[in-house]
Amino acid sequence: NDASDLKAGKAYIGLFRGQVDLGNSGNLGVLLSNRQQGGQTNSVAGMDARITPLPNWIITGQFTRSQAGNKIANNDHLAYLEAIYGSRAFTYTGKYTNIGRHFDVSLGFIPRINIKQNEQQANYTWFAAPTDWFLTQELKATLIHTDNQRDEFQDKKINLLYTIKAKQANTFTLEGTQQSENLADKKIHTSGWLAGWNSRTLPELNSTIKFGQRQ
């Protein structure tokens, strides 16, 4: 019980989590929560799963509904799906998040509601030969696109990051970013690049240089 708000009285809280393991294939789970304080109630019920259908692949998903009070309008959903592929040189992550306008979780933290968000990220690493001057080269690409529940554009971000980890604790980076955002029904575009160098040749000394431009 939570007595943080003395005027409203105690908040009675209940939480249940159940999970069934499927061996090496993954697991299935269920989550139920309820919070009641005075005349205010909030209930959440959801199911989730984690499976490994193929080698190097992991797929996770969750579907949840929330109910705040007794009004049908306060009943809304959250759906989440993520696919991850990983190998020594290449990794990929694809995420899709769909959160309703009235989704409400009083016992949790949801940073943003009313979205349909698609996120794609890929990363490839080149490993050096013994005679090379560098240790690894890495290229990472990220794309995030967000609409609201009415399929109206909200924001978009494209990011490319190239990293070289060299010998003697030297790291070189080159990054490019392009963003668009809908503010007051007006699209705002920004873009920029950033180059950097970091070195820890001596344990007591860390040197960093960064130079870039944004507009």
Side-chain angles (χ1 to χ4, degrees):
N1 295 334
D2 183 6
S4 60
D5 188 347
L6 298 179
K7 293 182 179 180
K10 288 185 178 181
Y12 297 96
I13 295 171
L15 183 66
F16 172 80
R17 168 66 178 173
Q19 181 172 298
V20 177
D21 290 330
L22 305 176
N24 295 328
S25 300
N27 56 64
L28 298 174
V30 63
L31 177 68
L32 304 172
S33 71
N34 184 74
R35 184 181 189 274
Q36 182 175 355
Q37 185 175 27
Q40 303 293 325
T41 61
N42 178 261
S43 301
V44 177
M47 297 184 65
D48 57 89
R50 180 184 186 273
I51 60 174
T52 54
L54 296 170
N56 301 337
W57 280 96
I58 299 175
I59 297 177
T60 59
Q62 182 180 40
F63 182 80
T64 303
R65 292 201 71 90
S66 69
Q67 176 71 56
N70 298 319
K71 295 182 180 180
I72 298 178
N74 292 339
N75 187 344
D76 222 324
H77 71 279
L78 177 149
Y80 174 80
L81 183 65
E82 179 182 45
I84 299 175
Y85 173 85
S87 65
R88 184 172 183 264
F90 178 72
T91 60
Y92 163 80
T93 301
K95 300 179 183 179
Y96 176 73
T97 305
N98 189 317
I99 305 177
R101 296 174 60 189
H102 304 290
F103 187 74
D104 183 15
V105 183
S106 61
L107 295 179
F109 174 69
I110 303 295
R112 189 176 181 184
I113 60 175
N114 189 26
I115 62 169
K116 295 180 180 179
Q117 188 175 80
N118 179 33
E119 180 177 348
Q120 307 291 323
Q121 186 178 102
N123 189 96
Y124 192 86
T125 303
W126 292 267
F127 297 92
T131 56
D132 292 332
W133 62 274
F134 67 92
L135 300 175
T136 61
Q137 296 182 71
E138 183 180 289
L139 181 61
K140 180 179 179 181
T142 303
L143 169 64
I144 303 175
H145 183 102
T146 309
D147 294 332
N148 63 18
Q149 289 294 320
R150 297 179 180 177
D151 294 322
E152 298 169 335
F153 174 80
Q154 298 299 295
D155 54 68
K156 181 179 180 179
K157 180 179 180 180
I158 300 174
N159 181 268
L160 291 174
L161 175 63
Y162 177 65
T163 303
I164 298 177
K165 292 185 178 181
K167 297 178 180 179
Q168 297 182 344
N170 287 287
T171 301
F172 304 89
T173 59
L174 179 61
E175 183 176 12
T177 303
Q178 187 178 66
Q179 291 181 276
S180 301
E181 189 172 5
N182 187 359
L183 295 176
D185 295 326
K186 182 179 179 181
K187 269 191 178 182
I188 306 298
H189 300 278
T190 60
S191 61
W193 62 272
L194 180 68
W197 168 73
N198 180 269
S199 178
R200 292 198 65 179
T201 306
L202 299 176
E204 301 82 5
L205 179 64
N206 185 13
S207 303
T208 301
I209 298 175
K210 292 184 178 181
F211 179 77
Q213 183 178 15
R214 188 175 184 87
Q215 58 184 7

